[in-house]
Amino acid sequence: MTPHPSWSPLPPPGRLRTLALATLANTVGSGLWLAGAPLYLTRDVGLRPASVGLGLTLAGLLGLTAAVPLGGLADRRDPRTLRALLQLLQAAVAGAYLLVGSFPAFLLVAVLDALLTVGNLAVRAALVAAVGGPEGRVTAFATLRAVANLGIALGAGLAGFALAADTHVAYQVLVVGNATTYLVSAALLMRLPGYPPPATPARPATSGRARALRDPPFLAVSGASAVLALHATVLTLVVPLWTVSRTGAPPAVVSAVLLVNTSLTVLLAVRLARGADTAVPAAAAMRRAGLVLAVAMLLYAATFGLPAGPATGLLLLATAVYTIGDLWHGPAGAGLAYGLAAPESIGAYQGVDGLLAGLARAVGPALLTWAVLDGGVTGWCGVAALFAAVGLLVPALTRWAVASRDRRAVSGSGGHAAHRPAPL
């Protein structure tokens, strides 16, 4: 196998490399759209900023309904082909933003976009499991995350040209560019082999979707991971607002903070994912993540009222610590979601996991801006306590989930199998 260069997030040639290139193409488009959409929709289309915010919030909530059904569909169909099809549909929807001229039209396109995006993430999780296999799926997840960060950064940089031009033609090129990346991604996905579901002599009485939704231990572990996922809102929304309103640091520090996070993610994502391939070590990694994220929240709190120099230094240090916690949390969440899922229902379980994470993303902006921007240092300390407590709780929840999974395995095999859970 070709060595993996330490400076490159791309894996050696092979199936994972192909999937990584498809992810890179897709996320370059994501970066284009994330950076350019607000100005395109307001300055070129003519929508009010409040209308854009309302439409995206409604679309995001409705989009969550696609996670579980499409995740379950990936268990019954080839996830490679299903994801490529979804990419083609997303290309059409992304291009449909060219036709938006009113709020109702925008809302329709945004809802379709959100449904496909959320469903695509659940299908992607099933495809990553198929490509990586039981031993390599968490490493594959971390690799794709590093690649995605690189792609989004590249796309955001390219969007800068359209934003600088600030013309109708430039914005239209941005929209077409985003749509094109979905087509490129779909073509790359079809270079992978197919992964048809294994033939089973009899279908279970309970569908994978229903089984995942009726698995309390799994829901508890996944819910805990979703609570920790609130940290994404901290970096992308709370820290920028805190920096300019509660510290003496200049606004340009916000860009430096995001650059530190992106750079460390590209460099360290794969390294910090090691050892989280199964549920027990993944739970230990989740515990570390919760504690480290708690420390980062306290460091952010300590920037309150500081002058420019010390505030800038402490913000960058806090972001480096935050990124370590983030990079432990992501693979740990994947390791738990994969490791605790019923083997024949990987997609459905990933859909449920994605649904809970999506709910956290939906409530995060309102909850955390209220807690921190209104609560100040006390709010930061409360968020730190929450992250630490959840991180410490995850190993116990995982022991419960592992025991439940093993009981199901014994029952399903007629009592001829036995598992002894490893200590956490």
Side-chain angles (χ1 to χ4, degrees):
M1 179 178 291
T2 304
H4 184 179
S6 59
W7 49 265
S8 171
L10 290 175
R15 296 178 181 180
L16 184 55
R17 165 73 71 88
T18 301
L19 185 55
L21 290 174
T23 298
L24 182 63
N26 186 38
T27 52
V28 166
S30 298
L32 279 170
W33 186 242
L34 288 172
L39 291 185
Y40 166 69
L41 293 169
T42 55
R43 295 177 67 82
D44 195 53
V45 175
L47 298 176
R48 293 184 298 109
S51 297
V52 173
L54 174 62
L56 292 177
T57 299
L58 292 174
L61 292 172
L62 291 172
L64 294 176
T65 61
V68 179
L70 281 174
L73 186 60
D75 293 324
R76 306 189 300 274
R77 299 288 186 269
D78 173 15
R80 183 275 317 254
T81 304
L82 181 57
R83 184 155 198 240
L85 175 61
L86 290 174
Q87 297 286 67
L88 292 177
L89 293 174
Q90 284 197 270
V93 171
Y97 277 107
L98 292 172
L99 306 176
V100 169
S102 64
F103 178 75
F106 161 64
L107 183 60
L108 174 62
V109 175
V111 168
L112 292 174
D113 191 15
L115 288 168
L116 289 170
T117 297
V118 173
N120 208 336
L121 289 175
V123 175
R124 185 193 69 167
L127 179 58
V128 170
V131 170
E135 302 300 321
R137 56 199 180 190
V138 173
T139 299
F141 169 87
T143 299
L144 296 179
R145 183 175 182 189
V147 170
N149 272 264
L150 178 61
I152 289 173
L154 290 173
L158 291 173
F161 292 102
L163 301 182
D166 195 26
T167 64
H168 175 69
V169 171
Y171 286 121
Q172 296 234 315
V173 169
L174 184 148
V175 174
V176 171
N178 180 35
T180 302
T181 62
Y182 286 114
L183 299 176
V184 174
S185 180
L188 288 167
L189 287 172
M190 292 308 293
R191 294 176 58 185
L192 291 168
Y195 295 95
T200 53
R203 295 187 61 82
T206 304
S207 71
R209 177 174 61 184
R211 184 173 182 179
L213 290 170
R214 298 173 186 171
D215 188 338
F218 177 84
L219 293 174
V221 174
S222 186
S225 179
V227 170
L228 286 183
L230 289 169
H231 68 70
T233 297
V234 169
L235 188 71
T236 58
L237 179 63
V238 177
V239 169
L241 295 175
W242 174 267
T243 298
V244 299
S245 65
R246 303 292 193 276
T247 79
V253 171
V254 173
S255 295
V257 162
L258 296 177
L259 180 61
V260 166
N261 174 255
T262 299
S263 301
L264 290 177
T265 298
V266 171
L267 292 173
L268 300 178
V270 177
R271 288 184 177 88
L272 294 184
R274 291 169 185 161
D277 300 309
T278 55
V280 170
M286 186 75 78
R287 177 173 54 202
R288 292 196 301 272
L291 295 174
V292 171
L293 287 168
V295 171
M297 300 304 105
L298 297 177
L299 290 173
Y300 283 128
T303 64
F304 177 72
L306 291 182
T312 297
L314 196 52
L315 283 167
L316 296 180
L317 173 62
T319 300
V321 174
Y322 162 89
T323 304
I324 300 301
D326 175 29
L327 294 179
W328 269 328
H329 171 255
L336 289 167
Y338 285 132
L340 299 176
E344 71 280 4
S345 302
I346 290 288
Y349 272 76
Q350 305 320 298
V352 170
D353 184 67
L355 172 63
L356 294 176
L359 289 173
R361 288 193 299 270
V363 303
L367 176 63
L368 292 179
T369 52
W370 167 76
V372 173
L373 297 180
D374 289 348
V377 172
T378 301
W380 280 118
C381 292
V383 175
L386 174 66
F387 287 167
V390 171
L392 291 170
L393 182 62
V394 166
L397 294 175
T398 302
R399 285 193 293 270
W400 176 35
V402 168
S404 174
R405 180 195 63 188
D406 291 344
R407 283 195 298 272
R408 290 197 306 266
V410 170
S411 175
S413 63
H416 297 296
H419 256 329
R420 182 177 302 160
L424 289 170

